[in-house]
Amino acid sequence: MRLFIIPPIPKLSLRLVLIVPFLLQITIAFGLTGWLSYRNRTRAMNDLATQLQVEVSNRIKQEMNTYLETPHLINQINVDAINQGLISIDNIPALERYLWTQLQQFPTASYIGMGMENGDYIGAGRYDDGSIEFDILADSTNRQLEKWLTDDQGNRTELVSSRDNYDPRVRPWYLVAVEAGKPVWSEIYGYFGSQALVVSANRPINDPEGNLLGVASSDLTLKRISEFLGTLEIGKTGQTFIVERNGYLVGTSTLEKTFITDEENRDTERILAAESSDIMTRETARYLANKLAYISQIDNHDRLSFYASSRREFVQVTPMIDPRGIDWLIVVVVPEADFMEQIHENTRITILLFMMALVLAIILGILTARWISEPILRLSEASSAIASGARNATASAELNQKVKVEKIRELGMLSESFNMMIQNLRDSFIALENTNRELEQRVLERTAALLQEKERSEELLLNVLPKPIADQLKANKKAIASAIEEVTILFADIVGFTPLSARMNPIELVSLLNEMFSIFDNLAEKHKLEKIKTIGDAYMVVGGLPLPQDNHAEAIADMALEMQAAMKQFQGSYLVGSESFQIRIGINTGAVVAGVIGIKKFIYDLWGDAVNIASRMESSGTPGSIQVTEETYNRLKKNYIFKERGPIPVKGKGQMTTYWLLGKKPVVDISS
């Protein structure tokens, strides 16, 4: 009789106890439900993708038809109005009002213009904020293209710019209309001197005898097309874009730029869809480019699909053709993943089967949980204590815990790993606290340094420009200029300084000039006047700007008298032989234009006839005297002492009556 010794059953590992039962149940459950869901998913996704893409394509095509028809409708209206004598191409003011009204009536039009065969041009464009500007080129503008801002009534308000060398007859939109002799679209091109791409609807203007008078044009910016595409909802991550058949982007729902700007030449270079910065647009365009022969023959809706980055993409291609010169393709791209939510029925079946498997897993889990509940509970309590300490900012105290190493192999390894993790966390926590303190100190030091540099920059800017102008320039980098109805300008020149400079060391000469002008600067600040500039030994100051000043003429007069007094202290100190130097001052009151122009080495300056006359008053005066115009004299004669010089010849003005400012009348105390 043989005895069979049953070998001892080896201890089961935790991995086998937990994984095998759950794996068996989940495999059975998902094996059944997966087959059912897969059978219906493909059909549902294909149907839904097709319906969505066709609907979006039709909507885009319908909207684009409206966009593209509007510019030609505007041109037809304008040509009919000219042929019927309702408007005249020679009446610029009437054309301005007419085009301004048209932009109000056609909100999708970005620009409406007319170029004449004689070189004249009138156009009205809409900015992004809704404001309207006029572009005018005629004899009245000295054959320069002037750009004017308008108010909400269509009246000119401000001249923005003026440029030479603009001829509408050589622009692409004009040439294509003249060549076609009928309504036609231009190629997509960049606006003259700007950074925007447009496509122009153009129509020749002919007189009753058929002679060409000019071209009517209405623009549609590609930005408006992209903005419309961006409003469409195409699944979750679907996109749409429009391309020409040659592959160049027209518009895209991602709102990315469809061109590259050459800042130096202010020119634009269009972007191929296959070189787009958006990965979905780029991959779709490259896929279509590989089917170039097929794409060139598309004349109706066509649906394709391809894989990009292991992800399937559904593509709907719809032609957008206008016989007047438009041949575009509307491309709608939707990832297959966007339609996963549409198969809820399969999901419900999957959840039901999963719940059944879960109930069975719970029963088995209860049995196995008895073996491992207590050691896992201890690990859980230790973890909770650490987490609670982290929430209450006391993690360093809770990290001193240590759990007991269990006899079960897997739990023992887990306990050892847990203890090692706590030790690592403790070390990391200490290192992190030290690093945080160092970083906070560095941030404080860097912030203080940045604030100090900012204050220095502000001080330097205020030494160059008046504070209101500096604030305006920081807010708006365009040219700043404003007309002031009345200011008083003073020009001063050091008489005798030139022969003195020939006898002095250059360093001493600059020191002397700096001492004089520093006194003048203090006087300008005392009387709240604005120093404009110094040129050599000449000094220019103005009262009444950039902020209004009622007593600007009196302040200038007081400064002029004090400048004379200040110069007397130099008479005895800087004599060279029998020569000395005196100050010659000229003053005038009138209107000026003041502002800052250019983009480098800013200077606040004045322009206008009043400035020239003030300069003539100084240059035609005598040393040690203050010569003023009749305008300044009328402002000051009640409170200041004058002597009439009489008529003198002034360059560019003929004979002018001028006066010598001698001093200030004493104040009469009427109380006594």
Side-chain angles (χ1 to χ4, degrees), residues 490 552-562 587 626 636 640 661:
L490 179 150
H552 55 81
E554 289 81 359
I556 287 290
D558 291 342
M559 179 172 176
L561 294 171
E562 291 180 22
I587 301 175
I626 304 173
L636 301 174
Y640 292 80
L661 172 61

Side-chain angles (χ1 to χ4, degrees), residues 315-332:
V315 182
Q316 180 81 25
V317 182
T318 304
M320 180 74 207
I321 300 175
D322 185 335
R324 290 167 292 198
I326 294 294
D327 189 7
W328 298 345
L329 296 176
I330 302 171
V331 182
V332 180

Side-chain angles (χ1 to χ4, degrees), residues 486-498:
E486 188 175 87
V487 299
T488 301
I489 309 112
L490 179 150
F491 278 87
D493 187 67
I494 309 300
V495 181
F497 192 85
T498 300

Side-chain angles (χ1 to χ4, degrees), residues 132-205:
I132 295 175
E133 54 88 15
F134 290 137
D135 293 328
I136 304 169
L137 179 107
D139 290 335
S140 61
T141 66
N142 296 322
R143 309 311 299 176
Q144 292 185 328
L145 181 65
E146 294 184 350
K147 185 181 292 292
W148 288 85
L149 295 180
T150 66
D151 57 19
D152 55 0
Q153 301 298 320
N155 301 311
R156 299 187 199 176
T157 59
E158 180 183 353
L159 179 62
V160 176
S161 65
S162 177
R163 65 165 59 93
D164 296 317
N165 303 323
Y166 181 83
D167 189 348
R169 295 167 296 186
V170 301
R171 297 298 294 163
W173 55 269
Y174 192 100
L175 296 175
V176 72
V178 172
E179 180 179 357
K182 61 181 180 179
V184 65
W185 288 103
S186 71
E187 295 287 337
I188 295 174
Y189 67 98
Y191 266 143
F192 181 85
S194 71
Q195 301 176 3
L197 291 181
V198 298
V199 59
S200 239
N202 309 287
R203 183 186 186 96
I205 306 172

Side-chain angles (χ1 to χ4, degrees), residues 218-507:
S218 180
D219 295 347
L220 179 65
T221 63
L222 300 192
K223 181 180 179 182
R224 289 185 177 273
I225 295 176
S226 293
E227 289 173 347
F228 162 68
L229 297 180
T231 63
L232 300 177
E233 293 185 3
I234 310 171
K236 280 188 174 182
T237 60
Q239 298 177 8
T240 181
F241 59 91
I242 299 177
V243 295
E244 294 181 297
R245 291 193 187 253
N246 58 14
Y248 284 101
L249 272 174
V250 176
T252 171
S253 61
T254 62
L255 302 182
E256 67 171 312
K257 277 194 172 184
T258 58
F259 60 91
I260 300 173
T261 303
D262 184 349
E263 294 293 342
E264 181 178 354
N265 299 321
R266 295 186 60 80
D267 200 358
T268 54
E269 179 181 353
R270 297 184 60 196
I271 297 175
L272 287 168
E275 297 175 358
S276 168
S277 59
D278 182 82
I279 185 170
M280 184 180 292
T281 302
R282 184 171 64 249
E283 294 298 328
T284 304
R286 290 178 179 177
Y287 168 74
L288 294 178
N290 291 331
K291 301 173 69 65
L292 184 60
Y294 165 77
I295 292 300
S296 63
Q297 300 175 2
I298 290 180
D299 57 1
N300 204 343
H301 291 290
D302 206 348
R303 186 165 180 265
L304 308 167
S305 67
F306 71 101
Y307 286 88
S309 301
S310 302
R311 188 177 70 170
R312 190 182 184 192
E313 309 283 354
F314 294 119
V315 182
Q316 180 81 25
V317 182
T318 304
M320 180 74 207
I321 300 175
D322 185 335
R324 290 167 292 198
I326 294 294
D327 189 7
W328 298 345
L329 296 176
I330 302 171
V331 182
V332 180
V333 189
V334 183
E336 181 186 40
D338 282 7
F339 299 96
M340 294 299 294
E341 294 181 358
Q342 306 301 321
I343 53 175
H344 297 301
E345 185 64 28
N346 286 345
T347 303
R348 283 194 292 269
I349 296 174
T350 302
I351 293 174
L352 178 61
L353 295 176
F354 177 75
M355 293 301 296
M356 294 173 60
L358 183 61
V359 171
L360 181 59
I362 290 174
I363 296 174
L364 295 176
I366 292 175
L367 299 176
T368 57
R370 294 178 182 177
W371 299 348
I372 59 176
S373 60
E374 290 184 1
I376 289 181
L377 181 60
R378 286 193 292 270
L379 288 171
S380 177
E381 290 174 350
S383 300
S384 298
I386 295 173
S388 177
R391 288 193 297 270
N392 299 323
T394 60
S396 58
E398 299 298 338
L399 289 175
N400 293 323
Q401 300 186 51
K402 187 174 182 180
V403 298
K404 178 182 177 182
V405 177
E406 299 297 329
K407 294 182 179 180
I408 299 177
R409 183 175 59 188
E410 289 79 7
L411 291 178
M413 294 174 60
L414 180 61
S415 299
E416 292 176 353
S417 299
F418 188 84
N419 291 333
M420 293 177 60
M421 178 190 70
I422 293 176
Q423 180 62 41
N424 292 335
L425 285 175
R426 187 185 303 117
D427 297 339
S428 299
F429 188 87
I430 295 172
L432 183 60
E433 287 182 335
N434 295 333
T435 302
N436 284 340
R437 283 193 293 269
E438 293 177 2
L439 288 177
E440 289 175 357
Q441 181 63 30
R442 291 180 183 177
V443 169
L444 291 175
E445 293 173 356
R446 187 63 58 84
T447 302
L450 289 175
L451 289 175
Q452 185 177 6
E453 288 300 321
K454 182 180 179 183
E455 291 174 357
R456 290 182 60 192
S457 298
E458 292 288 342
E459 291 175 0
L460 289 174
L461 184 60
L462 292 178
N463 281 336
V464 177
L465 301 175
K467 187 176 186 305
I469 301 303
D471 293 341
Q472 187 177 359
L473 189 61
K474 288 188 290 184
N476 182 6
K477 294 187 178 180
K478 293 183 178 179
I480 298 174
S482 59
I484 297 92
E485 293 183 357
E486 188 175 87
V487 299
T488 301
I489 309 112
L490 179 150
F491 278 87
D493 187 67
I494 309 300
V495 181
F497 192 85
T498 300
L500 180 62
S501 64
R503 295 173 173 82
M504 293 184 67
N505 182 283
I507 299 299

Side-chain angles (χ1 to χ4, degrees), residues 70-83 98 102 183 203 216:
T70 299
H72 284 287
L73 176 61
I74 294 172
N75 291 341
Q76 181 64 56
I77 293 173
N78 293 341
V79 172
D80 291 344
I82 293 173
N83 292 337
Y98 178 80
Q102 276 199 324
R203 183 186 186 96

